[in-house]
Amino acid sequence: MAGSISASPGVLITPSSVKATLPTNYITDFNFLNQYLPDTYEQEFERYGNRSIASFLRMVGAELPSNSDMIKWAEQGRLHTKYTGVTFAAAASGQQVFTLAASAICNFRLGQTVFISSQSVSTESQKGIIVDVTGSSFTVAYYNVVTTPFTGSLVTVFVYGSEFRKGSAGMAGSNESQDLYFDNKPIIIKDKYEVAGSDMAQVGWVEVTTENGASGYLWYIKSEHETRLRFEDYLEMAMVEGVPAVAGSGAAASGGLGIGAVVPAYPANSTLAVAAGTQGMFNAIETRGNIWSGGNPTALSDFDAIVQRLDKQGAIAENALFLNRQFSFDIDDMLAAQNSYGAGGTSYGLFDNSEEMALNLGFSGFKRGYEFYKTDWKYLNDATLRGGLVGGNVNGVLVPAGTMNVYDQVLGKNARRPFLHVRYRASETEDRRYKTWMTGSAGGAATSDIDKMEVNFLSERALCTLGANNFFIFK
């Protein structure tokens, strides 16, 4: 039986020379997705703008190499000695015996003159000369004729000079300088991006503009590039947020260690006796610095209290405020309210009353005893990070500008260092500031039989917060 040939529906039997629907060229199995292909954008839209937050340490700190598991430094102690919480016995024959709190050893010496002030009664203060020092007690002979010099229970005492008779021997004894010793340890931070060899063979270009200024077309490396940006953010956040593990904690028990890890041996007197954790900036300020809590300081009187506290510390002339958006607005409102020439304080600044005039309601800084420069800190505003937290939120930090002279225990000499700086592990053969390498068997790597390309990231670093008593954290 002879066969026959027939046309399948939709096959063009007779092409037409013009665009017309004819019986000989009509598509019978019409499909909208086949007939009208979607119009696609090659360029990626940046819906969240610049997503990276790594900028803080680059602005206020520096990076220095280190070749040890521990970074240790010494900071100067106070030059003068003042005792508070001092108790006293009844005065007799113009003299009175005082005793230091907690049985501390007194470093006052015979012949020194002291100022004694009540801690509860503002009108009670005396001056006298030390005539005896025994252990934690010292005896003062008053310059005034007094019988009951103090009615309160506690006094504060400090030395303001000395007095000796003609031809007498010199001062008995001496005082040794007291340094404060601090240490921190670097932590190893890692990340990795991997892509299968098969996926590397499937080309799909995307036009991008990235946070570090790069632009152009990326293929599968798009995700690798974002892993790199994320890792760089982790390098900064770990130095800001890091905390040392407390003895007895779960992290201390695990040591924060990976497979095949080596447990470092720290000195018994070190604060880093446990292997896990490192001290970041927030923790350093909370343990050794100044904490403002109970809402943002929104009045000049609040900043007066801050200035008075700074007076008792290093008295650094210039300070930078890194703030979240609300705290920045609060300072703008506080400064604008100081103007009395317009309703709501909106007439500050210089204006030419032109039609293109724009009202600038923001301030970059102010001077109140010291100079304060403020800037928004993106890390505190980012919705996926510190922005919008309720519990344990930080609204800003005050960071002193300039450098500090410290004794570097590793170098064995005095060195000037920024108040905040990062120490990373490095030697002549190994630099662990920022390492990246490829492994696998795809994409040019030939280190294993796994059918992938793996991009590895590693850094080993610690943050040194020098003179934390000059910092403020606003919570």
Side-chain angles (χ1 to χ4, degrees):
M1 183 175 181
S4 63
I5 300 176
S6 61
S8 298
V11 176
L12 300 181
I13 303 301
T14 305
S16 173
S17 60
V18 296
K19 295 180 181 179
T21 55
L22 303 175
T24 56
N25 68 355
Y26 190 79
I27 299 177
T28 59
D29 61 343
F30 173 77
N31 186 310
F32 179 84
L33 294 179
N34 291 335
Q35 181 71 6
Y36 300 103
L37 296 178
D39 189 4
T40 61
Y41 287 93
E42 289 184 334
Q43 188 170 9
E44 186 180 51
F45 180 71
E46 303 172 34
R47 62 181 296 181
Y48 294 113
N50 187 339
R51 298 163 297 167
S52 176
I53 57 90
S55 60
F56 172 72
L57 291 179
R58 286 199 293 265
M59 289 191 291
V60 302
E63 293 186 341
L64 304 168
S66 174
N67 54 14
S68 175
D69 273 328
M70 176 182 292
I71 303 160
K72 192 169 184 178
W73 68 94
E75 297 182 9
Q76 291 178 341
R78 294 282 191 178
L79 184 61
H80 302 283
T81 301
K82 180 173 74 173
Y83 291 116
T84 60
V86 181
T87 59
F88 50 87
S93 302
Q95 298 184 2
Q96 195 164 19
V97 177
F98 295 85
T99 303
L100 304 183
S103 300
I105 301 300
C106 179
N107 70 359
F108 290 162
R109 291 167 287 169
L110 298 180
Q112 289 186 315
T113 51
V114 292
F115 180 87
I116 309 171
S117 172
S118 172
Q119 292 184 200
S120 57
V121 183
S122 60
T123 58
E124 294 181 353
S125 64
Q126 293 293 333
K127 295 179 181 178
I129 184 170
I130 295 178
V131 295
D132 182 70
V133 178
T134 305
S136 60
S137 299
F138 59 95
T139 304
V140 175
Y142 290 115
Y143 284 106
N144 287 332
V145 178
V146 291
T147 55
T148 308
F150 300 101
T151 58
S153 59
L154 299 174
V155 296
T156 296
V157 187
F158 68 87
V159 173
Y160 69 86
S162 62
E163 182 182 3
F164 291 89
R165 296 174 181 172
K166 291 182 178 181
S168 62
M171 175 72 75
S174 66
N175 287 338
E176 294 294 329
S177 298
Q178 181 182 12
D179 282 340
L180 303 175
Y181 296 95
F182 303 100
D183 54 27
N184 203 359
K185 75 175 188 65
I187 56 173
I188 300 174
I189 308 169
K190 296 181 180 181
D191 208 338
K192 181 175 69 173
Y193 169 74
E194 60 182 35
V195 57
S198 297
D199 293 337
M200 296 176 65
Q202 182 176 348
V203 180
W205 297 100
V206 178
E207 184 180 2
V208 299
T209 301
T210 60
E211 282 78 0
N212 64 357
S215 61
Y217 292 89
L218 291 179
W219 182 12
Y220 58 87
I221 300 298
K222 160 68 175 169
S223 295
E224 184 275 338
H225 179 73
E226 293 200 348
T227 301
R228 185 183 299 270
L229 290 176
R230 192 180 305 112
F231 179 71
E232 291 174 356
D233 283 354
Y234 289 158
L235 296 184
E236 178 166 303
M237 288 191 289
M239 298 298 97
V240 172
E241 296 281 4
V243 295
V246 177
S249 66
S254 67
L257 305 173
I259 298 174
V262 178
V263 181
Y266 295 108
N269 62 346
S270 170
T271 57
L272 307 171
V274 294
T278 187
Q279 187 175 57
M281 182 186 69
F282 286 165
N283 184 261
I285 301 175
E286 289 170 348
T287 55
R288 298 187 277 120
N290 306 286
I291 302 174
W292 180 282
S293 58
N296 294 334
T298 56
L300 282 181
S301 59
D302 294 333
F303 274 91
D304 290 346
I306 294 173
V307 168
Q308 290 168 7
R309 183 59 176 263
L310 293 177
D311 281 340
K312 297 178 174 63
Q313 307 304 320
I316 308 301
E318 295 183 351
N319 300 271
L321 293 164
F322 294 86
L323 314 171
N324 65 12
R325 183 64 69 181
Q326 185 58 52
F327 194 179
S328 181
F329 284 160
D330 289 344
I331 292 181
D332 288 341
D333 293 342
M334 176 192 72
L335 298 176
Q338 308 310 309
N339 169 52
S340 59
Y341 296 100
T346 57
S347 65
Y348 58 84
L350 298 176
F351 302 100
D352 59 6
N353 293 321
S354 66
E355 60 182 6
E356 293 86 8
M357 179 185 71
L359 185 61
N360 183 2
L361 295 178
F363 291 86
S364 59
F366 62 98
K367 185 173 183 178
R368 182 74 170 178
Y370 302 107
E371 293 184 8
F372 299 93
Y373 304 97
K374 74 178 181 71
T375 183
D376 293 325
W377 189 4
K378 189 174 182 180
Y379 176 52
L380 301 182
N381 293 319
D382 194 292
T384 59
L385 300 171
R386 279 276 183 176
L389 293 182
V390 176
N393 198 14
V394 172
N395 295 336
V397 293
L398 181 149
V399 179
T403 59
M404 183 179 184
N405 194 37
V406 297
Y407 182 78
D408 193 303
Q409 298 280 15
V410 177
L411 298 177
K413 62 180 180 181
N414 286 331
R416 295 199 67 82
R417 297 285 183 260
F419 283 88
L420 278 177
H421 62 274
V422 173
R423 299 295 295 267
Y424 60 89
R425 294 293 297 273
S427 68
E428 295 180 354
T429 58
E430 175 74 0
D431 188 338
R432 299 169 70 81
R433 174 183 174 273
Y434 190 120
K435 291 185 63 177
T436 179
W437 69 96
M438 289 196 306
T439 57
S441 63
T447 60
S448 69
D449 60 355
I450 187 172
D451 186 18
K452 294 180 180 179
M453 180 188 76
E454 298 178 333
V455 184
N456 300 272
F457 303 92
L458 180 146
S459 180
E460 187 170 3
R461 57 181 57 205
L463 181 70
C464 295
T465 306
L466 306 185
N469 58 303
N470 296 284
F471 289 68
F472 259 91
I473 185 169
F474 301 92
K475 305 184 67 175

